[in-house]
Amino acid sequence: MRASPDRRSDDLSEALLALASLPDDSAALPGHLSTIVRLSASVVGPVDYASVTVSDGRGDRTPASSSSVAEAVDAAQYSDEAGPCLLALRSGETVGVPDVVGAVVWPGFRDVAWRYGIRASLSIPLFAGSGVPVAGLNLYAREAAGMRLLIRRVQACYETSSTSARPLMDAGSEQLLAGLAGALQARDLVQRALGVLIERDNVPAGTAYRRLVEEAGSGGSLTGAATAILRQYAH
């Protein structure tokens, strides 16, 4: 069963799915980001520390983290205005660092991460209903081997043409992977519904998105509203 947007799930995959169903400006957004950070640090095997990066009127910041270590590594990137967390948030692409020593393009990140015992990292763009990244999930590991496999598995989620064998990981990592795959499917569903509204009502994308939010109603799921619109269109 799909998690409702206002539900605080203890399953990481459901938490990621719930986030993907929220309007971008939902008041529930910070709580869901905090839940995702907490679960990522506690259940994903290779991960020792987690945080989330957002960029808003107050600049680049870390509204939720599992440890002061993650906050320090994030802060080094904000100070330099460069690093994997910022690149993931701004580009909308996952950024894996399988070996921190090799991150020569981000010396501030590299030096602070190494000082705190971080040997590998993975930053993943997180998006809500509009499909535009609203945050970057930062995963930090003291051991590189497990994180390297997680990087490959996460990147494979975004490669729809990939048919290569994918080795299983620990249960928490599989929750993360399932949640990311489901969130991508939810994003595609919403984008198809927005396309229908744009064509049917002859409106720009921004107006179509606002109408979808209105269809969902207060506290409603955008994916649920998108499914209803697509069903109507099919008839």
Side-chain angles (χ1 to χ4, degrees):
M1 178 181 296
R2 187 178 300 278
S4 62
D6 59 352
R7 177 182 172 186
R8 295 292 184 270
S9 172
D10 284 328
D11 183 279
L12 181 54
S13 62
E14 292 189 359
L16 289 163
L17 283 170
L19 178 68
S21 296
L22 286 174
D24 289 19
D25 60 353
S26 170
L29 191 74
H32 282 278
L33 292 176
S34 295
T35 297
I36 290 168
V37 166
R38 172 179 59 83
L39 292 174
S40 295
S42 62
V43 306
V44 180
V47 175
D48 292 290
Y49 313 109
S51 66
V52 70
T53 293
V54 300
S55 184
D56 54 24
R58 288 182 279 174
D60 301 318
R61 59 190 182 88
T62 299
S65 72
S66 69
S67 166
S68 60
V69 171
E71 293 176 10
V73 179
D74 289 353
Q77 299 173 70
Y78 305 155
S79 178
D80 287 351
E81 297 185 354
C85 72
L86 295 177
L87 181 57
L89 178 58
R90 292 167 182 169
S91 71
E93 299 179 356
T94 60
V95 181
V97 182
D99 182 359
V100 162
V101 174
V104 294
V105 295
W106 301 311
F109 160 75
R110 177 196 61 196
D111 294 347
V112 173
W114 184 265
R115 187 183 315 145
Y116 280 97
I118 304 301
R119 297 299 177 259
S121 74
L122 174 60
S123 292
I124 304 169
L126 300 179
F127 49 85
S130 77
V132 176
V134 294
L137 176 63
N138 309 307
L139 308 177
Y140 299 117
R142 299 178 66 88
E143 299 290 337
M147 184 61 87
R148 287 171 184 158
L149 177 56
L150 184 61
I151 290 170
R152 293 198 298 272
R153 288 290 312 276
V154 167
Q155 290 174 340
C157 288
Y158 295 83
E159 299 169 359
T160 55
S161 61
S162 176
T163 58
S164 59
R166 299 174 184 177
L168 288 175
M169 298 189 68
D170 60 278
S173 293
E174 293 296 333
Q175 284 184 29
L176 172 67
L177 293 161
L180 292 174
L184 288 169
Q185 292 175 353
R187 182 176 67 179
D188 290 344
L189 178 72
V190 169
Q191 292 304 309
R192 292 202 307 274
L194 290 176
V196 167
L197 292 176
I198 291 169
E199 179 181 352
R200 185 191 72 186
D201 301 340
N202 192 27
V203 294
T207 301
Y209 174 71
R210 290 191 292 274
R211 289 185 180 176
L212 181 64
V213 172
E214 291 172 0
E215 287 282 343
S218 177
S221 163
L222 292 191
T223 52
T227 299
I229 288 170
L230 290 172
R231 283 176 179 164
Q232 292 171 6
Y233 184 76
H235 295 111

